[in-house]
Amino acid sequence: RAKKAGPGTVCFFEEADDKASRDRKALQADLAGAVARDELFLVFQPFLDLDDNRITGFEALLRWQHPSRGLVPPSEFIPIAEETGLIHEIGEWVIRRACATLAHWPEDIRVAVNFSAAQFHSAGILQTIVQALADAKVAPHRLEIEITESMLLSKYGSAASILNALLQLGATVALDDFGTGFSSLTYLRKLPFSRIKIDQSFIRDMLVQPDCAAIVKSVISLARDLQIGVVAEGVETADQLEYLRQFSCDEVQGYLIGRPVSAVDVLALLETRKFRAIYAA
Ligand code: C2E
Ligand code: MG
Ligand code: MG
Ligand code: MG
């Protein structure tokens, strides 16, 4: 270790390590107070139904406005929240805020909330969801929980019972980032998902890699045969959209349709309802 090295010994790597770990500790400490200081907020990204070019709902995406670092992306602070256990407090805040926001939206609009593994498997999670829905006075079927395949792998049994409980409650569950984990068709057969979200990496490469196109096409038809909804994530170009339309994908999401926006902007977006003619094909 650096401390044991003699005087005058320079050890850049460990200094860099120390700096990184100090940085991480600082971020951890800051994150611990982020909820109380009201530094977290949600942005919402629309789902567009390709049958009628109507917005059917929004995915809530978490943001952290750090007082000195500026906007910290979830890819940086969610892992810290998971390691420290802060994910429970933060996750509860997300559910409550998403439901409270949903209460201001039309009845036929849903909100989708991302869950971490630890959160999904925690004991009080159902009660938290029930309470958030009740406090916001929104119907359970308007709330969708997004989980990933990796959450099913190790704790399949408990995942199945949580999923069934959510379904009984009336909420729905979507399988996020489909195709990136250990995708098992058994999950689709045995677990009550209402929707599959095809990972954006497949959509990105679909027009240049025939094997990607084949996978996207197959997953869409599989979902249809299983009577599960299917969403394509990360749609960025009109060509991709056209392709997905040809494959009869139910819904699309991505920068082409809309970037994540504030709750205020959601209301403005909903006023138009029908999307611009460019998407109408
Ligand atoms: P995700 O749930 O798969 O969300 C999709 C991510 O792709 C979002 O990044 C979104 O902004 C981004 N995206 C949407 N459309 C496009 C597109 O057309 N092109 C590209 N390149 N990207 C697009 P974001 O908001 O940075 O979130 C990253 C991940 O962080 C999410 O992936 C989710 O796993 C996690 N996350 C976000 N919010 C929460 C939360 O409240 N709780 C938990 N546990 N995780 C969250
Ligand atoms: Mg998601
Ligand atoms: Mg995703
Ligand atoms: Mg449809």
Side-chain angles (χ1 to χ4, degrees), residues 47 59-61 112-115 146-148 176-177 197 233 253:
F47 299 109
E59 177 174 3
L61 294 160
V113 172
N114 292 283
F115 266 33
E146 294 193 2
I147 66 166
T148 58
D176 202 357
D177 304 343
K197 300 186 72 179
E233 301 189 87
Q253 195 182 19

Side-chain angles (χ1 to χ4, degrees), residues 5-228:
T9 316
V10 179
C11 186
F12 290 105
F13 289 116
E14 297 202 356
E15 276 179 14
D17 268 5
D18 279 357
K19 191 184 175 300
S21 100
R22 270 204 312 276
D23 214 53
R24 206 172 167 77
K25 288 221 171 69
L27 212 54
Q28 275 179 18
D30 292 348
L31 189 58
V35 170
R37 288 190 303 268
D38 210 17
E39 291 166 3
L40 299 181
F41 64 99
L42 294 178
V43 287
F44 301 90
Q45 188 180 30
F47 299 109
L48 183 76
D49 188 305
L50 290 184
D51 284 338
D52 52 9
N53 302 299
R54 204 177 60 81
I55 294 176
T56 49
F58 293 82
E59 177 174 3
L61 294 160
L62 186 57
R63 298 289 180 264
W64 179 18
Q65 185 67 52
H66 188 282
S68 60
R69 293 170 200 250
L71 207 57
V72 185
S75 57
E76 270 176 46
F77 72 85
I78 295 280
I80 295 179
E82 287 170 346
E83 282 162 28
T84 54
L86 285 166
I87 194 66
H88 299 289
E89 181 192 5
I90 291 174
E92 179 168 351
W93 180 88
V94 171
I95 299 167
R96 297 191 66 83
R97 179 54 59 91
C99 289
T101 309
L102 181 64
H104 299 284
W105 298 348
E107 290 281 331
D108 58 345
I109 298 289
R110 73 176 189 273
V111 75
V113 172
N114 292 283
F115 266 33
S116 285
Q119 197 188 353
F120 185 64
H121 291 287
S122 77
I125 193 61
L126 282 171
Q127 190 49 42
T128 300
I129 294 171
V130 169
Q131 198 60 54
L133 287 165
D135 289 350
K137 299 187 175 65
V138 294
H141 73 267
R142 299 177 64 198
L143 175 66
E144 187 156 84
I145 306 297
E146 294 193 2
I147 66 166
T148 58
E149 291 149 339
S150 59
M151 299 187 197
L152 305 172
L153 205 58
S154 58
K155 296 181 171 175
Y156 179 83
S158 79
S161 62
I162 298 162
L163 281 177
N164 282 306
L166 281 169
L167 204 72
Q168 222 144 50
L169 180 69
T172 59
V173 183
L175 194 50
D176 202 357
D177 304 343
F178 186 77
T180 56
F182 292 90
S183 308
S184 165
L185 299 180
T186 300
Y187 297 149
L188 295 184
R189 189 167 73 88
K190 296 207 169 152
L191 298 175
F193 291 105
S194 53
R195 223 178 297 277
I196 302 172
K197 300 186 72 179
I198 305 175
D199 189 67
Q200 53 188 49
S201 58
F202 295 100
I203 309 305
R204 188 188 57 222
D205 296 337
M206 173 175 78
L207 294 176
V208 285
Q209 292 180 9
D211 52 345
C212 266
I215 290 170
V216 171
K217 194 176 171 181
S218 303
V219 172
I220 292 170
S221 82
L222 176 69
R224 189 173 37 244
D225 291 347
L226 293 173
Q227 296 181 292
I228 303 175

